[in-house]
Each structure stands twice: as structure tokens, then as C-alpha cells.
Amino acid sequence: MLRYVAIITLGLVFAPVAPAQTLSLESPIAQVALLELYTSEGCSSCPPADRWVSGLKGDRRLWREVVPVAFHVDYWDYIGWPDRFAQPAYSDRQRRYARGGSISTVYTPGFVLNGEEWRQWFSRPELDPEAGRIVGKLQVEIVDGVATVRFEPARPVAANLDLNLAVLGFDLTTEVGAGENRGRTLSHDFVVLAFESSAMERTGPVHRSALELPRGHIPAATRAVAAWVTERGNPRPLQATGGWLEAAR
């Protein structure tokens, strides 16, 4: 009996430890385009833009040349349908672009491409960003829910930098019961489910940061992460990268 107990104990002591789950992302040195969509389930003009963004899931340039993110704003909630994906901070982000002159006014659906208003979608919805400037390489390693980030600019950056990290949800549907889209079933991809920023530290020419993946309250079976670097106080991206999170689960 004592021998049996000893064997069980040894089995517990030497049981293999599960390896840490790791996901590595890396941008090229040319600038990757960050495409921001400002949208709302309360806006009848937004579903076509949402569908168009969903089409980027199969684009060969995804993550390597373009990183799409969909920020749902809350300023349409007053008409009767509270968008479950909306956050006041996302509306404030769009207003910051307007205050800085990057967009003409606050509206939905509104696109911002690399920090500038992109109205081409309304007349010719083909994403054709200019060849990226040489800006430097952004590297992200995610281990057990913590992102360690390294950005080495091609040229020294005098300003302090911030890391921006968003968890994106895919294949999300909502049956809308009120407002301009009442009675419609809406589908969404690239939805920002959670968003966080943190200051980066500089060591010589390299800027670094470590940040836990932000947690949202809405689950999604398919998720991705988007990361981009900005100068402190300026929402315009310097470099971006992204990728699917399944490998990090």
C-alpha cells in the first residue's frame, strides 16, 4: 500500500508542464497601412461598409500590408439601439482625429487610413494604399496573454511613443431590435472588442513595451490582435502589425 502511494506521488511530481503558448508577429520595414472603420449598429448607412471590411478577411495583403480595425461608436445609441460593441473611448478617438484636422467631421461610416480621412470607399471601394514608407520593424511576441513589443524605427524618433493593442472579433452577428436597422441581422468582422494603450520605453534607438492583452466582455470564437505604434498624443500610426490569435490560445 505504501509503495502504491509513493508511485502516485512521483507521478504528480514529475508530470509534464504544459508549454507556454506563443504567437510571434512581425511587420516588414515598410509601413503597414492601418485602416480604421468607425461604424455603428444604429446607423442604416453602416452595414455596406461593414460587409466591405469583412471582405478583407480573404485579402492576400491582410496583416502584411494592411491591418483593418472596426471601432464601434456610441453616439448613435440615443436613437433606440445601444450598440453592444460601442465604447465612448472609440467615439472620442474619432473626435480626436477631427480636432486634429485629419478628418473633416465626425460621421459613420467613416474610414481613416494611416491617420488620414479615406473617402474613396464611397465612390470606388478598392483599397489601394500607396507603397509604404520605410519606417522600421515592429515585433510582437505574445506568451500566455502578455504581449512583449519591440519597435526599431528606420530613423531615430525624437518623440515618446505609445503602443496600441486591440483584440478583434470575427463572425459576430446581431439581431437588431430597434433604431434605423430594426429587424435586420447584422454581421461583423474586425470588431475592436477591447483596446489598450501604454507608454513605450526607449533604449538607444529601440522602443519597447509589455502589455497584457486587453479583455473584453463579448466572446468571439475567432479572434485576432492588432498592434500599432504612435507618437504620444497623436493617433496617427507609425507602424502596425497583426495576426490571428488562435495560435496563442
Side-chain angles (χ1 to χ4, degrees), residues 4-89:
Y4 176 77
V5 172
I7 292 173
I8 295 297
T9 303
L10 286 172
L12 291 173
V13 170
F14 293 103
V17 178
Q21 297 176 331
T22 302
L23 175 65
S24 296
L25 308 172
E26 183 176 293
S27 76
I29 60 172
Q31 186 179 36
V32 176
L34 180 72
L35 179 66
E36 303 173 54
L37 168 63
Y38 291 88
T39 184
S40 170
E41 290 186 336
C43 163
S44 61
S45 300
C46 288
D50 294 333
R51 288 193 295 271
W52 180 83
V53 167
S54 290
L56 295 176
K57 287 189 297 184
D59 195 299
R60 61 178 178 77
R61 301 168 296 177
L62 181 63
W63 310 131
R64 291 295 296 173
E65 297 181 34
V66 61
V67 175
V69 295
F71 286 104
H72 283 238
V73 298
D74 69 341
Y75 51 77
W76 285 109
D77 289 2
Y78 78 95
I79 64 175
W81 181 253
D83 187 331
R84 64 192 176 119
F85 305 116
Q87 294 289 338

Side-chain angles (χ1 to χ4, degrees), residues 228-240:
W228 63 96
V229 174
T230 57
E231 293 185 358
R232 185 78 42 81
N234 185 348
R236 182 191 301 271
L238 298 175
Q239 183 61 294

Side-chain angles (χ1 to χ4, degrees), residues 94-228:
Q94 190 184 27
R95 294 187 184 105
R96 285 176 62 197
Y97 274 127
R99 288 195 299 269
S102 295
I103 62 175
S104 56
T105 188
V106 172
Y107 62 94
T108 56
F111 285 93
V112 177
L113 181 62
N114 279 342
E116 294 291 340
E117 188 171 23
W118 188 68
R119 298 187 65 86
Q120 178 179 308
W121 179 84
F122 297 97
S123 58
R124 187 169 61 89
E126 297 177 5
L127 183 62
D128 187 22
E130 297 179 359
R133 299 178 295 115
I134 301 302
V135 295
K137 187 171 291 187
L138 178 61
Q139 298 170 306
V140 180
E141 185 175 75
I142 300 172
V143 180
D144 288 343
V146 176
T148 302
V149 180
R150 181 183 189 274
F151 176 56
E152 184 170 359
R155 298 176 184 83
V157 178
N160 293 320
L161 301 186
D162 287 334
L163 165 66
N164 303 272
L165 204 60
V167 172
L168 312 178
F170 295 78
D171 304 318
L172 298 163
T173 59
T174 301
E175 295 181 3
V176 180
E180 292 185 357
N181 289 312
R182 180 178 181 178
R184 302 178 69 176
T185 299
L186 303 182
S187 299
H188 306 292
D189 295 294
F190 298 101
V191 177
V192 177
L193 299 178
F195 176 71
E196 193 70 55
S197 298
S198 71
M200 303 189 78
E201 297 182 354
R202 178 169 21 196
T203 305
V206 177
H207 301 255
R208 304 175 188 272
S209 184
L211 184 65
E212 287 189 14
L213 286 183
R215 299 178 181 272
H217 65 281
I218 298 173
T222 304
R223 299 181 306 147
V225 62
W228 63 96

